[in-house]
Amino acid sequence: MTNPDRDREFLQRSIDLAQLAGEEGNRPFGSVVVVDDAVVAEGYNQVGSTGDITAHAELVALRSAIDEGFGERLTAATVYASGEPCPMCTAACVWGGIGRIVFAASSAAFTEILPDGPQFRSTCAGVIATSDAATVVDGPLLEAEALRVMGRYASP
């Protein structure tokens, strides 16, 4: 069962992590993994600072959740993301059995602000639809708040 107030709280945390990513010179994206209404892992984009092209916020958070022993419980997890997960991150959620993905800013909206990097026509829900996963996708929620943070780190 979804709880809109809790969704906003967890999305706000992902937006705060996006701010941290931007402050460290990375693209401004953050993510949290929630199980049983508790944050079990957090991550933010570290591609720029590490050179690891897979260090997207969602993947960093998922790896952390697995490292913390939550791998078997990911089917009960919700991944919250400041921006709509890309196809790579969405596919990782499918492979991990994530039950729900909630995002703040849509890809269509944030690519207007952050145009650098590849752009995909597939949405997160569209990628899920091509699989046999039962993952639920909700968003955009808190889009203006996420876009405000992203705008601080847009290239001139």
Side-chain angles (χ1 to χ4, degrees):
M1 177 149 200
T2 62
N3 179 330
D5 291 331
R6 293 298 278 171
D7 284 347
R8 286 183 193 88
E9 177 185 333
F10 296 133
L11 279 175
Q12 186 57 57
R13 179 61 186 152
S14 73
I15 293 167
D16 293 345
L17 290 164
Q19 172 78 29
L20 179 60
E23 289 170 1
E24 292 187 7
N26 298 291
R27 288 171 56 93
F29 294 96
S31 182
V32 296
V33 178
V34 174
V35 175
D36 296 331
D37 216 24
V39 173
V40 298
E42 298 182 335
Y44 58 88
N45 185 314
Q46 298 174 22
V47 172
S49 58
T50 66
D52 177 355
I53 60 170
T54 68
H56 288 204
E58 299 88 343
L59 294 182
V60 171
L62 286 170
R63 287 179 188 130
S64 179
I66 292 165
D67 290 347
E68 294 296 320
F70 288 93
E72 296 295 321
R73 298 180 62 199
L74 290 180
T75 57
T78 298
V79 169
Y80 290 87
S82 62
E84 184 172 3
C86 73
M88 175 179 67
C89 293
T90 301
C93 289
V94 168
W95 282 109
I98 298 297
R100 184 169 177 242
I101 299 168
V102 182
F103 64 88
S106 68
S107 293
F110 71 69
T111 55
E112 293 291 319
I113 295 171
L114 303 168
D116 297 337
Q119 297 176 22
F120 295 91
R121 287 185 206 69
S122 295
T123 62
C124 179
V127 172
I128 299 289
T130 65
S131 74
D132 62 355
T135 306
V136 173
V137 179
D138 291 316
L141 305 167
L142 300 184
E143 188 165 56
E145 292 88 336
L147 293 175
R148 203 169 11 262
V149 168
M150 292 173 183
R152 293 180 192 139
Y153 302 99
S155 300

